[in-house]
Amino acid sequence: MPVLRAATDPGVRGGEYYGPRGFQQSKGYPKVVRSSPQSYDTSLQRRLWALSQEMTGIEFPSGTQPGRHSHE
């Protein structure tokens, strides 16, 4: 349900994460939650990006790489 809400709710804002609202986010209707600490790790972001490009064979412009800004 969290993925469905994130994909279809017109009130969702970019960068929001959704998870169950029940006890320890284990069940229930979706609500905005904080993402895991790993999601803020720029070295992990870059590694995931590189592996994704390698596995799909699709290479994106360097300005779209996580942890980089287009003005760099």
Side-chain angles (χ1 to χ4, degrees), residues 3 7-8 10-11 16 23-24 26 30-32 34 39 44-45 47 49 52 54 64 70:
V3 173
T8 61
E16 290 181 329
F23 179 69
Q24 295 183 338
S26 61
K31 69 171 187 167
V32 176
R34 182 165 169 79
S39 71
L44 286 176
Q45 293 169 4
R47 180 163 161 70
W49 190 260
S52 297
E54 181 182 323
T64 60
S70 58

Side-chain angles (χ1 to χ4, degrees), residues 12-34:
V12 168
R13 295 182 299 170
E16 290 181 329
Y17 291 87
Y18 287 84
R21 68 176 70 232
F23 179 69
Q24 295 183 338
Q25 297 179 0
S26 61
K27 63 181 178 177
Y29 288 98
K31 69 171 187 167
V32 176
V33 297
R34 182 165 169 79

